[in-house]
Amino acid sequence: AAVRGETLTVAGHDVVQGDLLADGGFAYVYRGSDARSGEALAIRRVLLQDSEKLREAHAEIAILRRLRPHAHIVRFIGAEVLNAPRGAGAQEAVSLFELCTGGTLLARLEAALAAAPPEAAACVPCLPEAEVLALVA
């Protein structure tokens, strides 16, 4: 298992891994910090069990690298596939993102929905189609 205080080099960033924030399936998200600047960040570690998962990880990293920064999207800092410390030949995709505090997105959406007037309960706010297309273009 990954160790608190472990130092990793990911996409040219030396980072120190902190406490586990969330886990699910084969992915773990840790609080971390940039070893040089002290900037708080999130470290996502995904165990890649086979060649298909490895291809998917490379595709995801390529997409994340192409996304332009936007005020309403979590900032991607960098990622790469590393040899996992867990055993022979294992690999993991390690991604760095800005650390967003204040609870999960689901909890925030549920709170907003609970606070909304009853007539707004069926309304889900979203970005206009043109803005979504501009973000992913």
Side-chain angles (χ1 to χ4, degrees):
V3 179
R4 185 179 198 275
E6 177 181 2
T7 300
L8 305 163
T9 299
V10 180
H13 299 270
D14 292 328
V15 297
V16 179
Q17 183 171 289
D19 295 327
L20 179 68
L21 297 175
D23 65 76
F26 297 97
Y28 303 87
V29 178
Y30 297 88
R31 177 181 304 273
S33 62
D34 185 291
R36 291 184 188 117
S37 70
E39 176 188 9
L41 46 87
I43 304 170
R44 184 181 67 173
R45 299 176 78 155
V46 181
L47 185 60
L48 307 172
Q49 301 123 327
D50 55 39
S51 59
E52 180 180 346
K53 295 296 181 194
L54 178 61
R55 279 191 303 276
E56 290 172 0
H58 282 295
E60 178 181 285
I61 291 168
I63 290 168
L64 288 168
R65 286 180 176 149
R66 286 196 323 257
L67 284 177
R68 293 179 300 206
H70 189 279
H72 300 296
I73 296 177
V74 174
R75 183 172 54 94
F76 171 68
I77 299 167
E80 66 181 283
V81 173
L82 303 173
N83 290 325
R86 296 174 206 19
Q91 292 182 300
E92 65 181 346
V94 182
S95 304
L96 307 176
F97 297 92
E98 74 175 295
L99 180 65
C100 298
T101 58
T104 67
L105 176 59
L106 179 60
R108 295 183 72 161
L109 290 172
E110 287 174 340
L113 186 58
E119 63 273 8
C123 176
V124 178
C126 61
L127 293 173
E129 180 183 359
E131 191 167 350
V132 171
L133 293 174
L135 288 172
V136 298

